[in-house]
């Protein structure tokens, strides 16, 4: 598969014992959901894909992204974006300065500002550049974190239960926005969750770990 994210015979071991195994191709614009209870190893699988596997773990198998074997690449060279449950905006920076962190270096300050404003518009947050992140709702923070990640131009997107802290009313709205923005960029998306509503909303294939 040329475009997309492939997990080839990926097995994660903890202290010599296999936690989970996954083999799957996720095409451009497709979503794969990996479901399983807390502690089954979902976040660890994503850590392996981002190149940040903690030392207690060992992994076998390969990760390919857009035709490149990234299994042993440095984390910052992988072009994999990730969104977490706790979206961790920098609290001492404005929303706009947070978004600037996603941008690659270079370009005029006007061009950078234009990209930040476009990003805010894309998630219905026009005019939020000067806001303090502390004044945003949970859903707004998630949308800023999404755009900060997308401004770094990833080739694949990982979602680690990013909607689980949002209340029901916002949850569906923010979730739809994340999937729509990923689809608009034709990104392959791997979501891990223990929530069957999230899995259903993703609309793609679902695999379940830990049965
Ligand atoms: P999930 O995301 O499915 O809840 P995790 O991948 O976080 O599961 O954890 C899998 C297992 O590894 C659990 O038993 C957890 O306690 C353990 N674990 C998680 N992170 C670490 C770590 N950094 N070092 C050692 N063990 C960990
Ligand atoms: Mg987890």
């Amino acid at each position: 598969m040329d475009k997309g994210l492939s997990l080839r015979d990926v097995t994660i071991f903890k202290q010599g014992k296999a936690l989970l195994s996954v083999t799957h191709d996720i095409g451009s614009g497709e979503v794969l959901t990996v479901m399983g209870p807390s502690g089954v190893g979902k976040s660890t699988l994503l850590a392996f894909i981002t190149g940040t596997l903690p030392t207690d773990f060992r992994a076998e198998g390969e990760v390919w992204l857009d035709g490149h074997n990234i299994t042993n690449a440095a984390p910052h060279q992988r072009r994999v974006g990730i969104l977490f449950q706790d979206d961790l905006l920098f609290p001492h920076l404005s929303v706009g300065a947070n978004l600037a962190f996603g941008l690659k270096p270079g370009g005029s300050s006007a061009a950078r500002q234009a990209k930040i404003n476009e990003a805010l518009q894309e998630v219905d947050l026009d005019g939020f550049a000067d806001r303090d992140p502390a004044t945003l709702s949970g859903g707004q923070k998630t949308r800023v974190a999404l755009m900060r990640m997308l401004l770094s131009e990833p080739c694949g997107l990982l979602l680690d239960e990013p909607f689980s802290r949002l209340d029901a009313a916002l949850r569906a709205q923010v979730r739809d926005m994340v999937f729509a923005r990923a689809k608009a960029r034709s990104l392959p998306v791997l979501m891990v969750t223990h929530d069957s509503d999230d899995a259903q909303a993703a609309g793609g294939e679902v695999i379940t770990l830990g049965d």
Side-chain angles (χ1 to χ4, degrees), residues 14-15 19-20 36-45 54-57 160-161 192:
K14 189 183 175 199
Q15 287 149 357
L19 267 184
L20 60 89
S38 185
V40 82
K42 301 182 299 297
S43 296
T44 306
L45 173 66
T55 49
D56 273 29
F57 299 92
D160 192 345
E161 314 203 30
V192 301

Side-chain angles (χ1 to χ4, degrees), residues 95-129:
V95 164
N98 266 277
L99 288 172
F101 257 88
L103 287 172
K104 292 178 185 149
S108 68
S109 86
R112 294 172 71 78
Q113 201 54 56
K115 281 188 182 163
I116 288 166
N117 290 339
E118 267 170 43
L120 286 170
Q121 275 167 22
E122 190 174 331
V123 289
D124 298 332
L125 293 173
D126 316 40
F128 274 62

Side-chain angles (χ1 to χ4, degrees), residues 1 7 10 24 38-39 50 53 70 72 75 79-80 104 109 118 152 155 165-167 177 205 211:
M1 193 173 72
L7 305 181
V10 171
H24 214 95
S38 185
T50 59
L53 195 65
I70 62 165
N72 298 305
R79 308 204 65 176
V80 174
K104 292 178 185 149
S109 86
E118 267 170 43
S152 70
C155 300
R165 281 208 204 284
L166 302 173
D167 57 46
M177 192 174 262
E205 263 186 82
D211 314 322

